[in-house]
Amino acid sequence: MSDGEHLYTATIRWARAGGDFLGAAYDRGHTWTFDGGITVPASSSPLVVPLPWSRADAVDPEEAFVAAIASCHMLVFLSIAAKKRYLIETYEDVARGVMTPNEHGRLWVSRVVLDPSIAWAGQRRPDPATIAAMHHLTHRECFIANSVRTEIVVAGVDDTPPH
């Protein structure tokens, strides 16, 4: 790897466990193992592949995509707040991804709406305009937001964030 490059790895494992594979009646359950050693149960979304061939109790790629965007946004926002000396007590985001057909009729996650609820602490508290500016800066600095073409918006702050 060259300077400035960072490598991230995930190992995806699936094994056929009965069912009619050739008839598309097989279990989509699998695992994701990350470089830190944690293993997460994963599956296709029951909204895409019906039960029992999907697992409702596992993470699906679409919700992981939404979580990655929301998590990156939160981590950058926390960093910006700390640098600006604003104390955050809690940050909770109920992020929502919307999947729609593209111009070729193929489904894609076209929009992710972040809806963070932030509890501020301490003497210094940002006003709404400052919070909005912090979200815009966060969007510009987020590695994941810079990696996708999905529209990412922060509820109550903007409908078309700058890129």
Side-chain angles (χ1 to χ4, degrees):
M1 287 185 10
S2 64
D3 286 344
E5 289 185 344
H6 302 277
L7 178 65
Y8 299 91
T9 61
T11 302
I12 313 307
R13 288 189 181 91
W14 174 87
R16 186 168 55 87
D20 179 7
F21 183 82
L22 299 178
Y26 60 92
D27 185 6
R28 271 48 167 211
H30 57 283
T31 60
W32 298 341
T33 302
F34 296 95
D35 56 9
I38 190 168
T39 297
V40 176
S43 175
S44 55
S45 168
L47 298 173
V48 177
V49 177
L51 299 172
W53 312 121
S54 290
R55 290 186 43 195
D57 65 344
V59 178
D60 64 67
E62 297 81 12
E63 64 191 357
F65 180 71
V66 171
I69 290 169
S71 182
C72 185
H73 187 91
M74 179 199 70
L75 292 168
V76 174
F77 189 90
L78 294 176
S79 175
I80 290 168
K83 286 176 186 167
K84 291 184 176 292
R85 312 297 294 161
Y86 292 117
L87 179 60
I88 295 177
E89 196 65 37
T90 63
Y91 181 113
E92 181 177 325
D93 189 352
V94 181
R96 299 175 312 281
V98 179
M99 198 157 53
T100 60
N102 68 12
E103 62 276 6
H104 304 289
R106 293 187 186 100
L107 290 174
W108 71 301
V109 180
S110 58
R111 182 179 175 117
V112 172
V113 178
L114 307 178
D115 195 7
S117 176
I118 302 165
W120 302 93
Q123 297 294 324
R124 291 189 74 234
R125 305 221 177 174
D127 60 28
T130 301
I131 294 169
M134 290 167 63
H135 280 297
H136 286 291
L137 177 58
T138 296
H139 183 74
R140 258 195 341 265
E141 298 298 321
C142 174
F143 304 141
I144 303 298
N146 285 316
S147 301
V148 300
R149 66 181 183 123
T150 299
E151 178 186 21
I152 302 168
V153 300
V154 179
V157 173
D158 58 8
D159 288 325
T160 54
H163 282 88

